[in-house]
Amino acid sequence: MTETSPATRAEKRGAMTRFLDGVEWLGNLLPHPVTLFAILAGLMILASGLFGGVMEVAVEDPRPEGASGRAADGMIRAVSLMNEDGFRRIFTSLTTNFTSFAPLGVVLVAMLGVGVAEKSGLLSAAVRSIVLGANRHTVTVAVVFAGVLSNTASEMGYVVLVPLAGAVFYALGRHPLAGMAAAFAGTSGGYSANLLIGTIDPLLAGITTEAAQLIDPGYVVSAPANWYFMVISTFMITVVGSLVTIFIVEPKLGKYDSSRADPAVLDKNMMQPVSGAEKKGLVWAGIATLAVFAAMAWTLMGDELSLSLPFIGSLFSFGVPDWLPGWGALRNPDTGSIFQQAPFFTGFVTWIFLFFLIVGFAYGRAAGTMKNDRDVIDGMASAISTLGLYIVLVFFAAQFVAFFGWSNLGAITAVTGAQFLTDTGMTGPAIFIGFILMCCFVNLMLGSASAQWAVTAPIFVPMLMLVGYSPEVIQAAYRIGDSSTNIITPMMSYFGLILAWMTRYDKNLGIGTVIAMMLPYSVAFLVIWVALFFLWTFGLGLPVGPGSPTFYEMPAG
């Protein structure tokens, strides 16, 4: 085998770095996401004037006669906002556009509970107990798995797990950057996978609902709409991420040279084993978790308690004893279903709030980190205080979405695109390959999952609904594209923090090195995740979530 000379290797690294610098430069040409939505809202007003006021664009409405929202003449017409009526509507609706934007409320409510769990120290202790409890042979799997689970608590994976993984690998005599890469891959590359419903689920479901209602005003996407697919994706991400770390990334990094590190990070013990008080807190948190799960089961309980999953079958079914009366208040009141349009799932953000509030406080009381209601309130306030930028972003995103809906340009684009796909025969499942790749590309330039989906959902959700696919399946496909390229774009909001963590172990580290290190994860996740998506939905015919159909049919009337 011919060895590559050091000069050639340096040249190759330089070429790769220049290429990645070019990608970064192109991405930096985009304005701040808030500015981007403000510009898009303004452009939408201008576009409505052009297509609605000047060109008077119209298309035939594909919905059946008599359907809700269908015009008497069966046409969808572009509506101009550049007139007196449009100006009055914009002026009087600016506030309600913001306050009625579906994702805003659910995120704020969920974060109130998550804030208590974070303030009490529960999230940090839980992550450390998972990672530090693993032996040398399973620590890689534990790091990736903990990274995926940390998504339930927003930035905890980036702030706590990534630096902790570096310290764990270094203590085990392994390359610390490999540990940090594994944690980053699980946290960010597996952003849309989880065993639990996290804050991102109601956020995306709200945006998808807004987009779906451009076609079907009564359609609602619930927070657990992708839960089944996200659960199986958790194990896929864990296995693939671990294998890439062990067989590709760690061998490529080679033996670690500690002379490049900041001496402080090597001397400082970042392992921080779970203390006795924290262990006591985790025990009580476990008890509180069981109590919350029991309450959840009670709200679904009828004359019998049963659990039957669509892709597994009946797990158990037995009569409820007299001393434990069934209630079932959160079943569908009309059909009795625990999945389809059941309040249990459509209002699942309430469970997210209650779960983190109750379990977080139980942990805090037992561990001594929370004593009274003031500590709980401080945790809630702290969580909300971190959402300032998000709230500003939502204000402008809500205006853009509202203007887009008022102008009818979203519906017209969807009908035109669906007709094009039908005419060209591009209506089969393979259409999702192009859709997922498009989401991957957009994510390189617009790293925020909510910002990206708020822009693309009003176009692609109605378009793919009109060719027969449900909003739930469309959202699941989007999440694959969004997550897969999170770890290779400097536009991702925590990329700078990850770079800062890694430079503590290698002062010469650059953006290109980080992206090159994470690229194998990105490619592997994308290829295998897409294959899993097609096998799951179209091969095995399994639903992506509770009550989530794969196909969509236009209402009859």
Side-chain angles (χ1 to χ4, degrees):
M1 180 181 294
T2 304
E3 281 197 17
T4 306
S5 68
T8 303
R9 289 198 300 269
E11 182 180 349
K12 288 184 177 180
R13 287 197 298 270
M16 176 59 72
T17 301
R18 287 195 298 272
F19 169 74
L20 295 171
D21 285 345
V23 173
E24 181 188 6
W25 176 79
L26 289 173
N28 285 336
L29 293 179
L30 285 175
H32 191 282
V34 173
T35 306
L36 179 63
F37 273 114
I39 293 172
L40 288 174
L43 291 176
M44 187 51 57
I45 296 175
L46 296 176
S48 73
L50 174 63
F51 293 107
V54 178
M55 300 176 63
E56 298 182 349
V57 173
V59 297
E60 185 175 352
D61 195 333
R63 292 173 293 185
E65 188 174 349
S68 176
R70 192 177 192 269
D73 63 356
M75 301 298 291
I76 302 177
R77 304 182 186 279
V79 176
S80 175
L81 301 178
M82 292 187 65
N83 51 37
E84 291 183 1
D85 289 340
F87 176 75
R88 283 192 288 266
R89 190 174 189 182
I90 293 171
F91 190 81
T92 58
S93 301
L94 205 68
T95 301
T96 54
N97 291 343
F98 176 46
T99 57
S100 63
F101 192 61
L104 177 63
V106 294
V107 170
L108 293 178
V109 171
M111 286 303 295
L112 288 173
V114 172
V116 175
E118 183 175 359
K119 186 74 172 180
S120 69
L122 167 64
L123 302 180
S124 175
V127 168
R128 286 187 286 120
S129 66
I130 292 174
V131 175
L132 299 180
N135 60 41
R136 178 183 177 88
H137 301 290
T138 60
V139 68
T140 305
V141 176
V143 164
V144 179
F145 184 66
V148 177
L149 295 188
S150 72
N151 295 323
T152 305
S154 188
E155 74 275 2
M156 283 301 296
Y158 302 108
V159 176
V160 175
L161 183 61
V162 173
L164 178 64
V168 169
F169 269 53
Y170 177 74
L172 294 174
R174 301 173 64 180
H175 203 300
L177 294 186
M180 302 177 90
F184 187 28
T187 302
S188 195
Y191 183 67
S192 283
N194 216 319
L195 298 182
L196 303 174
I197 303 298
T199 54
I200 188 62
D201 295 281
L203 170 62
L204 294 182
I207 296 174
T208 307
T209 296
E210 297 263 356
Q213 289 179 352
L214 293 172
I215 293 297
D216 188 343
Y219 206 100
V220 176
V221 178
S222 64
N226 298 146
W227 183 41
Y228 296 160
F229 186 65
M230 292 304 103
V231 169
I232 195 67
S233 296
T234 298
F235 298 103
M236 183 278 292
I237 291 292
T238 301
V239 171
V240 174
S242 300
L243 292 176
V244 169
T245 302
I246 295 170
F247 294 106
I248 298 178
V249 173
E250 199 162 11
K252 182 177 182 297
L253 288 171
K255 187 176 180 180
Y256 178 58
D257 181 6
S258 60
S259 65
R260 296 184 175 185
D262 178 358
V265 77
L266 301 181
D267 295 337
K268 183 180 179 181
N269 181 17
M270 293 178 62
M271 300 288 283
Q272 298 177 350
V274 179
S275 66
E278 288 176 322
K279 289 179 180 178
K280 179 181 178 182
L282 288 174
V283 170
W284 280 98
I287 295 172
T289 297
L290 293 177
V292 174
F293 285 171
M296 295 171 74
W298 189 45
T299 64
L300 293 175
M301 198 180 299
D303 294 332
E304 66 174 18
L305 181 62
S306 62
L307 179 60
S308 178
L309 298 181
F311 50 91
I312 295 178
S314 179
L315 297 183
F316 60 79
S317 179
F318 53 83
V320 177
D322 293 337
W323 57 268
L324 186 62
W327 187 32
L330 297 185
R331 288 174 175 259
N332 186 312
D334 298 321
T335 65
S337 171
I338 65 173
F339 291 122
Q340 190 67 36
Q341 298 300 309
F344 182 92
F345 286 113
T346 56
F348 202 81
V349 66
T350 304
W351 284 122
I352 296 176
F353 165 70
L354 292 175
F355 176 83
F356 284 107
L357 172 64
I358 295 171
V359 176
F361 183 68
Y363 171 88
R365 284 285 293 182
T369 57
M370 281 191 165
K371 298 180 180 179
N372 50 42
D373 60 320
R374 288 184 177 273
D375 294 325
V376 173
I377 295 169
D378 287 344
M380 292 182 176
S382 177
I384 296 299
S385 68
T386 65
L387 296 177
L389 179 59
Y390 171 75
I391 293 173
V392 175
L393 174 68
V394 164
F395 175 79
F396 290 99
Q399 308 311 322
F400 165 72
V401 171
F403 299 167
F404 199 51
W406 295 346
S407 68
N408 280 340
L409 292 180
I412 290 173
T413 302
V415 172
T416 304
Q419 186 60 51
F420 170 77
L421 294 175
T422 301
D423 292 343
T424 57
M426 296 173 59
T427 58
I431 193 175
F432 282 100
I433 295 178
F435 174 62
I436 292 171
L437 292 177
M438 183 278 301
C439 293
C440 289
F441 178 74
V442 173
N443 190 53
L444 293 174
M445 305 301 171
L446 189 60
S448 169
S450 57
Q452 182 190 159
W453 193 224
V455 171
T456 55
I459 296 174
F460 288 98
V461 170
M463 183 185 300
L464 294 177
M465 285 175 68
L466 289 176
V467 295
Y469 298 103
S470 73
E472 291 86 352
V473 166
I474 301 166
Q475 178 181 282
Y478 160 74
R479 297 176 76 166
I480 295 173
D482 171 66
S483 296
S484 298
T485 52
N486 269 343
I487 49 182
I488 59 172
T489 172
M491 298 301 104
M492 200 275 292
S493 55
Y494 287 99
F495 191 92
L497 177 64
I498 300 303
L499 182 63
W501 288 135
M502 289 186 174
T503 53
R504 300 181 70 186
Y505 287 96
D506 187 348
K507 59 186 177 183
N508 298 324
L509 196 73
I511 291 176
T513 307
V514 176
I515 296 178
M517 182 168 57
M518 301 309 299
L519 190 58
Y521 294 103
S522 184
V523 174
F525 288 167
L526 177 60
V527 172
I528 298 177
W529 218 341
V530 169
L532 177 64
F533 173 77
F534 277 92
L535 175 64
W536 186 269
T537 55
F538 303 112
L540 301 177
L542 301 176
V544 293
S548 297
T550 300
F551 300 100
Y552 171 79
E553 293 183 7
M554 195 73 69

